[in-house]
Amino acid sequence: MQQLLEPPRQQPLDSGAEKATEDDGGGGKGSVDGDVTSANPYAGLVSRLRAAWLSGKTRPMEYRVAQLEALGRFLDEKKQDILEATTLDMGKPPFEAEVSEVVVCKNELHDTLNSLSQWMKDKHVERNLATRLDSAFIRKDPYGVVLIIAPWNYPINLLLQPLIGAIAAGNCVVVKPSEITKNTERLMAEVLPGYLDKDCCAVVTAGVQETTRLLENKFDYIFFTGHASVGRIVMAAAAKHLTPVTLELGGKNPCYVSDTCDVQNVARRVAWGRFFNAGQTCIAPDYVLCSLEMQEKLLPALRETITEFYGPNPQESPDFGRMAGDKQFQRVRALLRSGRVVIGGQTDEEERYIAPTVLVDLQPSDPVMQEEIFGPILPIVIVANVDEAIDFINSRERPLVVYAFSSDVKVVNQVLERTSSGGFVSNDTLMHVTLTSLPFGGIGNSGLGMYHGRFTFDAFTHCRGCLYRSMGREAFNNPRYPPYSQQKLGIVRTVTEVKRKGTCTLL
């Protein structure tokens, strides 16, 4: 993870210790009154975008649709460049890159284009007796100038998905791709602006120090994906301007496997979710909770599955990725010292390769159980039953997702009803993110806010309560004006009353 150089103070981040989905961010040091001095290198850019937004250019639906369609052309025309860049940066298999970076974004884009006219409509609401002749509605306003800070693990997906919603909502946008994935950053900086309106959308390439300066500026909304430690700094910078935020922060996602399930199916679905993108996925199952009896069944099934997926030597497989950087490699390799390796464990520093690995004989205090793994390591922790598994989950920070495997729906429901997390999936992993109809986001330490599909549009939209009243009919207003009386109070209470439905009074 990126850590503060001097924890007691608001400081830039030290990029020398990345962990999990974060790549960068920093704490702004703007003045108390929220002004940013002219010395800030990004002040002019933000001012230019704000002028474009104030002009009303981004508000018409036709403009938003044109920009979204341009994003679609970028994904179509530059697909091969995207696949090549992610392969160079992370050794990401083309299949995984196309599914997770291109297809997911295209689905988000098409869902947005299909529904944008409906999402943008005013929503008329109920009125009381006092406003029965008036018009009351919710206007879907853009926030203004928004900032999106993306991570390195899915450098296209986790930048473009929020960008789609920000454009759809009518905002001007500054996007900051990760500097960790250099080739993808270069692609986004050099090519993406050619598809979008440069007056309303800008790509900023920035490291830790530059991002710290960027955050000094006043934005109207900030969308950050990364680690909780960095999220706190982003939130502190936003607080100086009272800027609302979405924080997508990840965490340690538990995966409970009951004694009643198809072991081979569990092994395939868990292994796929854990080792996809070499484990560098914020919603990957971070550890398995199961009985000792289930562990003995699961280990040979996992061993067989890993060989089926990646061959006898996964290092030679074209379908298995690499760590994104040397620091990520060093951090994840150090976690192999926890517990006992029963599958995998091989590493190659030159290739940044860590084999698909399974660990057993773990203690809750082991390093691999204390931090988000963000690599191809799957720890197995023994619990006696579902109650003990639930207690274990609830004793920790609330995760981004909880997974539960069982052929007994009662067990699945127990885990769902007695735990708290950003999302929940039974009998599979990762698949919930393929649905634009489901909100995606964390809770507590795993995040703040939600997006995907309609929820992305909503994240970047201010719901503005509006009431249109007539200049006439003043006699109806007289009861609210002084001098007051009990009679006037009775009238005001009657015309503004909200009655409870379905109640009865016993005499």
Side-chain angles (χ1 to χ4, degrees):
M1 80 184 70
Q2 298 189 16
Q3 299 169 335
L4 293 175
L5 294 176
E6 299 176 60
R9 302 169 52 202
Q10 178 108 336
Q11 290 289 330
L13 302 175
D14 177 6
S15 61
E18 292 90 358
K19 178 183 79 169
T21 59
E22 83 292 1
D23 61 21
D24 40 40
K29 294 184 179 180
S31 60
V32 173
D33 62 5
D35 293 332
V36 178
T37 68
S38 59
N40 188 285
Y42 303 105
L45 171 66
V46 175
S47 295
R48 177 168 60 81
L49 265 63
R50 189 169 301 284
W53 180 72
L54 289 172
S55 74
K57 185 178 185 180
T58 63
R59 287 181 177 265
M61 187 180 75
E62 295 77 13
Y63 175 87
R64 305 183 198 190
V65 168
Q67 291 293 287
L68 293 172
E69 289 177 340
L71 267 182
R73 290 194 298 274
F74 167 77
L75 288 168
D76 288 336
E77 295 169 8
K78 301 302 176 183
K79 183 177 79 170
Q80 192 58 39
D81 294 334
I82 290 170
L83 301 184
E84 291 173 1
T86 54
T87 296
L88 288 170
D89 285 330
M90 304 176 66
K92 189 174 288 195
F95 178 95
E96 292 187 359
E98 183 161 351
V99 168
S100 64
E101 305 283 14
V102 179
V103 172
V104 169
C105 289
K106 290 292 292 290
N107 290 341
E108 180 89 8
L109 186 65
H110 292 163
D111 183 46
T112 301
L113 286 168
N114 290 341
S115 307
L116 183 57
S117 61
Q118 187 64 36
W119 295 348
M120 287 178 62
K121 286 181 180 178
D122 293 342
K123 180 181 179 182
H124 288 268
V125 299
E126 292 184 2
R127 293 153 295 165
N128 54 29
L129 188 59
T131 58
R132 188 61 51 83
L133 300 177
D134 305 316
S135 178
F137 59 93
I138 298 169
R139 171 62 53 87
K140 311 296 179 60
D141 267 359
Y143 272 107
V145 181
V146 305
L147 171 64
I148 297 170
I149 302 177
W152 50 261
N153 60 321
Y154 292 94
I156 302 293
N157 174 340
L158 297 179
L159 186 146
L160 290 191
Q161 281 208 76
L163 176 59
I164 289 166
I167 291 174
N171 298 282
C172 289
V173 193
V174 176
V175 293
K176 212 298 290 182
S178 170
E179 80 278 14
I180 302 298
T181 43
K182 295 292 184 185
N183 295 282
T184 310
E185 179 194 43
R186 187 181 307 114
L187 176 66
M188 301 304 280
E190 295 178 358
V191 179
L192 184 61
Y195 287 83
L196 299 175
D197 184 349
K198 295 182 178 63
D199 290 335
C200 301
C201 184
V203 180
V204 170
T205 58
V208 172
Q209 299 294 334
E210 296 87 355
T211 305
T212 300
R213 300 303 309 278
L214 180 63
L215 281 164
E216 292 174 5
N217 293 274
K218 176 177 172 56
F219 292 96
D220 300 300
Y221 201 94
I222 296 176
F223 190 106
F224 170 80
T225 304
H227 190 265
S229 62
V230 188
R232 291 185 181 95
I233 297 168
V234 172
M235 195 169 184
K240 293 188 176 182
H241 302 291
L242 298 179
T243 299
V245 297
T246 289
L247 303 176
E248 295 293 339
L249 306 178
K252 294 189 71 64
N253 306 309
C255 178
Y256 173 65
V257 180
S258 79
D259 289 338
T260 57
C261 58
D262 185 316
V263 176
Q264 194 59 47
N265 285 350
V266 172
R268 290 166 63 84
R269 297 176 191 187
V270 171
W272 177 71
R274 175 70 274 182
F275 303 129
F276 190 94
N277 199 33
Q280 297 164 113
T281 304
C282 62
I283 54 169
D286 206 80
Y287 60 93
V288 167
L289 295 168
C290 67
S291 67
L292 182 60
E293 178 185 1
M294 175 50 65
Q295 176 180 283
E296 296 308 306
K297 296 176 182 177
L298 196 55
L299 287 176
L302 284 168
R303 188 175 290 108
E304 179 183 337
T305 295
I306 291 169
T307 301
E308 177 191 348
F309 285 1
Y310 308 113
N313 183 4
Q315 189 170 3
E316 298 175 354
S317 171
D319 300 320
F320 187 73
R322 301 294 186 266
M323 295 290 95
D326 294 334
K327 291 166 184 174
Q328 286 80 17
F329 171 84
Q330 298 289 351
R331 187 191 63 79
V332 175
R333 182 172 66 174
L335 297 178
L336 294 172
R337 294 194 287 266
S338 297
R340 177 169 61 91
V341 174
V342 290
I343 300 173
Q346 298 84 7
T347 65
D348 184 329
E349 185 170 2
E350 184 177 352
E351 286 194 20
R352 302 197 304 270
Y353 166 77
I354 296 177
T357 299
V358 178
L359 302 178
V360 297
D361 299 341
L362 290 152
Q363 298 298 320
S365 58
D366 286 336
V368 78
M369 293 302 298
Q370 290 298 306
E371 59 184 75
E372 187 175 3
I373 296 170
F374 231 67
I377 301 174
L378 180 66
I380 299 179
V381 177
I382 300 302
V383 291
N385 49 45
V386 65
D387 292 321
E388 190 172 315
I390 290 169
D391 290 343
F392 188 94
I393 293 168
N394 289 338
S395 69
R396 297 177 158 236
E397 295 284 1
R398 288 183 282 184
L400 189 54
V401 58
V402 167
Y403 296 110
F405 284 82
S406 179
S407 299
D408 186 345
V409 69
K410 292 181 180 178
V411 172
V412 170
N413 285 336
Q414 270 189 282
V415 180
L416 172 61
E417 292 167 5
R418 294 173 55 193
T419 62
S420 177
S421 60
F424 179 87
V425 179
S426 74
N427 297 321
D428 210 341
T429 60
L430 309 191
M431 288 301 293
H432 58 305
V433 298
T434 67
L435 294 176
T436 56
S437 55
L438 285 178
F440 179 86
I443 181 172
N445 210 59
S446 60
L448 172 67
M450 56 189 177
Y451 73 124
H452 286 191
R454 171 66 183 265
F455 304 98
T456 317
F457 175 86
D458 289 344
F460 288 101
T461 296
H462 167 59
C463 290
R464 189 178 186 184
C466 302
L467 177 65
Y468 278 11
R469 305 208 76 197
S470 167
M471 279 295 294
R473 301 191 291 270
E474 184 64 5
F476 290 116
N477 295 323
N478 286 337
R480 74 188 194 200
Y481 298 144
Y484 300 131
S485 68
Q486 283 299 118
Q487 182 185 21
K488 286 184 174 182
L489 178 59
I491 294 172
V492 169
R493 287 169 63 178
T494 297
V495 299
T496 60
E497 182 180 21
V498 176
K499 294 183 178 179
R500 185 176 177 185
K501 298 178 180 179
T503 60
C504 63
T505 303
L506 298 178
L507 299 179

